[in-house]
Amino acid sequence: MAIVLLLFLFALVRSNAEEAFYVRKHLSTTSRYEVVKDITDNSFVPSNIPDQCTPIHLNLLARHGTRAPTKRRIKEMDDLAKRIEVLLQDAKEKESDLQKVPAWLWGWKSPSKGRFKGGELIREGEEELYHLAIRIRDKFPQLFNEDYHPDVYPIKATQIPRASASAVAFGMGLFSGRGNLGPGHNRAFAVSSESRASDIFLRFHDCCQRYKDFRKSQEPTVRKLEEPILDEITNALVQRYGLNFTRQDMSSLWFLCKEEASLLNITDQACALFTPSEVLLLEWADDVEMFILKGYGNALNYRMGVPLLEDVVQAMEQAIKAKEEERAPGSYENARLRFAHAETLVPFSCLIGLFLEGSEFEKIQKEQPLELPPKPLQRRNWRGSTVAPFAGNNMLVLYSCPTESSSKYFVQVLHNEHPVPMPGCGNSDFCPFEVFKERIVAPHLKHDYNTLCDLKIEEPERMSLTSKLWQMFQWLFPQRSNDTQSTKQEL
């Protein structure tokens, strides 16, 4: 009797644990903002900012909101639908146990069936940015009480439509009720963009040839790391459901899970194919890919974002100058608002040293490589769902404080609207501006964007004999270079 009771309790605990597992919090960078924005480090105690300190400038960098699947993903889902038909037919012919097959697979069609274009901001993505703007305006009323002018509230976005649409949704929330257009009393505002070919502030990854080559060279390494996990889970699915899934099938089903959970609020179909432990492994694989190709895996990933960091610091210095000169309100910039992609937000988070463990900040200052994020179930800071979910954002708020303190100006860093520690400032979220510049910014400024990114610029003493021979060969036998079209990234 005691054994039966023990088994019952074990089953009950296991059932409750599985019910408590919320897959929508484990979708890496495909996560919806409202699901993950309040996931914070409970052990961190935010600074108590003195009442006498007032915000005088805000820098916002936000990823675009939730978007529709891209054209490539739409095709992948169409191919998956055809593949599932083949698998089901094969199972019938082999007289397999069809009771194992989830009912939803019979007659399943891709959610994007019949679509030919994708990647656009969807309604949920619009709402994410719209409400984010209203919350920011309410949190910092001192900064957003001026009449709109593009020089007071410059809004910048990349030329990718989902980023510029996110900027528009944000602006509609920020200036709602402050104009004369329509029943919502909206007002017009400007969104400016740099050319995609030369935007080294928000699309530096697209303009950096050295990074493109590095990324291409590292993709096989990433695949190699992922293969054991994909193979293990693929074999588990084959045994569990009696269908002859391949590694590609499993990968597509994982993407379908993320699409259904994030865009359609469906978690009992594709996501239900995986156990919680399998979801955690797949999430880790996605996070490791982001770490290697966009984050701390290589210094180039984030150091090419130096022009953006310089722009942020310059905006703060201009705000300090306006404060010192006691310029009239409306004659200077209150906030600089930028809208881009995970490929922008992730490197910028690395530049200011967020989501590091222990002594890792000292390592990146010394340009030493970091270890990969630990596997589940170990604790880790580096999670795509919090680093760069849809509409994920960094805010650097500049405060002016009483002169009694040793520093007059301070920078507070908020990620997804919550204060976060900066290892470069003693793990505080509220850092003296001069310390912020000296400890966090200055070490990066010795790296010039063109030097980092131009393949033609090499230090002679580091050039291998092969490189020298190749340069001599090119000089003797000049050929017209062929521009290759790089694979479009899903941002």
Side-chain angles (χ1 to χ4, degrees):
M1 187 68 177
I3 293 176
V4 172
L5 181 59
L6 187 62
L7 290 173
F8 173 75
L9 290 173
F10 174 77
L12 183 63
V13 169
R14 182 177 178 181
S15 174
N16 288 339
E18 290 184 353
E19 287 179 9
F21 183 81
Y22 193 29
V23 70
R24 297 182 73 208
K25 291 185 178 181
H26 300 279
L27 305 178
S28 195
T29 57
T30 315
S31 300
R32 287 281 304 280
Y33 187 63
E34 78 275 6
V35 175
V36 298
K37 74 179 181 68
D38 292 325
I39 298 176
T40 58
D41 181 1
N42 294 328
S43 65
F44 174 67
V45 180
S47 300
N48 184 18
I49 300 176
D51 292 338
Q52 300 90 337
C53 295
T54 57
I56 62 171
H57 192 270
L58 183 146
N59 269 277
L60 169 71
L61 174 64
R63 185 189 178 196
H64 60 75
T66 301
R67 56 156 170 79
T70 61
K71 186 177 180 180
R72 181 174 74 85
R73 290 297 195 179
I74 290 172
K75 183 181 184 305
E76 181 181 348
M77 291 299 97
D78 288 341
D79 292 343
L80 178 63
K82 296 173 186 175
R83 173 67 179 158
I84 288 175
E85 288 181 4
V86 171
L87 290 171
L88 293 174
Q89 184 61 35
D90 184 57
K92 281 183 181 179
E93 293 174 357
K94 292 180 178 178
E95 298 182 355
S96 301
D97 183 3
L98 299 182
Q99 295 298 318
K100 292 182 176 181
V101 178
W104 68 270
L105 282 174
W106 298 97
W108 177 81
K109 303 295 181 187
S110 167
S112 304
K113 181 177 173 59
R115 297 195 64 195
F116 301 98
K117 296 182 181 297
E120 77 280 6
L121 193 70
I122 63 173
R123 177 177 58 82
E124 290 82 358
E126 295 175 352
E127 292 174 350
E128 287 166 346
L129 274 301
Y130 179 84
H131 293 295
L132 172 64
I134 292 174
R135 289 194 299 272
I136 291 176
R137 184 180 70 182
D138 292 344
K139 184 175 180 64
F140 300 104
Q142 308 96 319
L143 294 176
F144 296 100
N145 58 3
E146 301 295 332
D147 290 338
Y148 169 75
H149 189 280
D151 292 339
V152 178
Y153 302 109
I155 303 176
K156 301 177 183 294
T158 72
Q159 286 192 332
I160 306 299
R162 54 181 167 269
S164 54
S166 295
V168 170
F170 183 92
M172 292 183 70
L174 190 64
F175 304 117
S176 59
R178 300 191 176 185
N180 299 306
L181 298 176
H185 299 285
N186 296 312
R187 64 150 301 138
F189 52 89
V191 176
S192 60
S193 297
E194 298 286 337
S195 166
R196 292 175 64 172
S198 58
D199 188 355
I200 64 171
F201 295 101
L202 297 181
R203 285 189 69 83
F204 41 77
H205 53 279
D206 250 4
C207 304
C208 185
Q209 187 57 48
R210 190 182 294 275
Y211 170 71
K212 290 180 181 180
D213 288 0
F214 162 77
R215 181 179 176 119
K216 186 176 181 180
S217 72
Q218 289 300 302
E219 285 174 352
T221 303
V222 173
R223 300 287 87 82
K224 199 82 171 175
L225 280 169
E226 293 174 340
E227 281 175 6
I229 291 174
L230 300 183
D231 288 342
E232 176 187 338
I233 298 175
T234 299
N235 292 333
L237 293 185
V238 170
Q239 295 298 317
R240 196 178 301 145
Y241 304 112
L243 299 175
N244 193 26
F245 292 121
T246 64
R247 185 194 296 162
Q248 178 57 55
D249 297 333
M250 200 286 303
S251 180
S252 295
L253 287 168
W254 170 234
F255 174 77
L256 176 61
C257 163
K258 293 187 286 187
E259 180 184 355
E260 287 183 338
S262 185
L263 277 65
L264 306 174
N265 298 324
I266 296 173
T267 58
D268 59 355
Q269 291 191 166
C271 291
L273 295 174
F274 305 99
T275 65
S277 60
E278 289 166 351
V279 168
L280 291 177
L281 281 172
L282 290 166
E283 177 194 21
W284 177 82
D286 286 348
D287 291 350
V288 165
E289 178 176 343
M290 180 182 73
F291 183 88
I292 294 173
L293 300 182
K294 301 173 189 172
Y296 289 115
N298 186 283
L300 176 62
N301 292 345
Y302 50 91
R303 290 213 165 107
M304 62 179 172
V306 162
L308 174 58
L309 183 62
E310 289 180 311
D311 188 64
V312 168
V313 173
Q314 181 191 52
M316 292 180 181
E317 291 175 335
Q318 290 174 351
I320 291 173
K321 183 179 179 182
K323 175 72 174 177
E324 296 289 332
E325 294 175 353
E326 299 182 348
R327 292 171 57 182
S331 64
Y332 53 86
E333 182 182 284
N334 282 14
R336 193 169 293 188
L337 312 165
R338 306 171 180 85
F339 301 87
H341 310 270
E343 281 79 358
T344 321
L345 181 62
V346 173
F348 187 77
S349 297
C350 294
L351 277 172
I352 58 178
L354 305 186
F355 306 108
L356 290 169
E357 311 274 0
S359 62
E360 288 182 335
F361 180 75
E362 285 70 26
K363 286 185 177 180
I364 67 166
Q365 295 290 67
K366 296 175 183 176
E367 304 190 15
Q368 296 174 351
L370 302 184
E371 297 293 326
L372 293 178
K375 281 187 175 182
L377 295 163
Q378 300 176 70
R379 178 192 169 278
R380 72 177 189 272
N381 286 335
W382 187 264
R383 308 180 70 93
S385 56
T386 51
V387 176
F390 287 129
N393 55 86
N394 278 332
M395 279 188 283
L396 275 67
V397 186
L398 180 67
Y399 281 83
S400 174
C401 293
T403 54
E404 287 80 6
S405 60
S406 57
S407 298
K408 188 173 181 180
Y409 298 100
F410 289 77
V411 177
Q412 185 185 38
V413 176
L414 300 99
H415 186 82
N416 297 341
E417 303 174 67
H418 295 280
V420 289
M422 287 180 283
C425 197
N427 282 322
S428 172
D429 62 298
F430 196 61
C431 188
F433 181 57
E434 293 304 321
V435 175
F436 177 80
K437 287 201 301 181
E438 179 184 347
R439 288 274 292 147
I440 297 174
V441 178
H444 296 305
L445 297 187
K446 64 184 178 183
H447 298 282
D448 174 72
Y449 181 83
N450 292 327
T451 305
L452 283 170
C453 292
D454 191 346
L455 290 173
K456 296 177 183 178
I457 300 176
E458 296 188 57
E459 297 179 28
E461 64 273 17
R462 293 188 182 180
M463 288 177 61
S464 66
L465 176 61
T466 304
S467 299
K468 293 178 180 178
L469 290 173
W470 175 243
Q471 282 195 354
M472 184 179 294
F473 178 82
Q474 288 183 311
W475 179 71
L476 291 171
F477 305 102
Q479 297 180 4
R480 185 181 65 183
S481 62
N482 296 319
D483 294 330
T484 57
Q485 179 69 31
S486 60
T487 303
K488 291 183 178 179
Q489 302 168 8
E490 292 194 9
L491 307 178

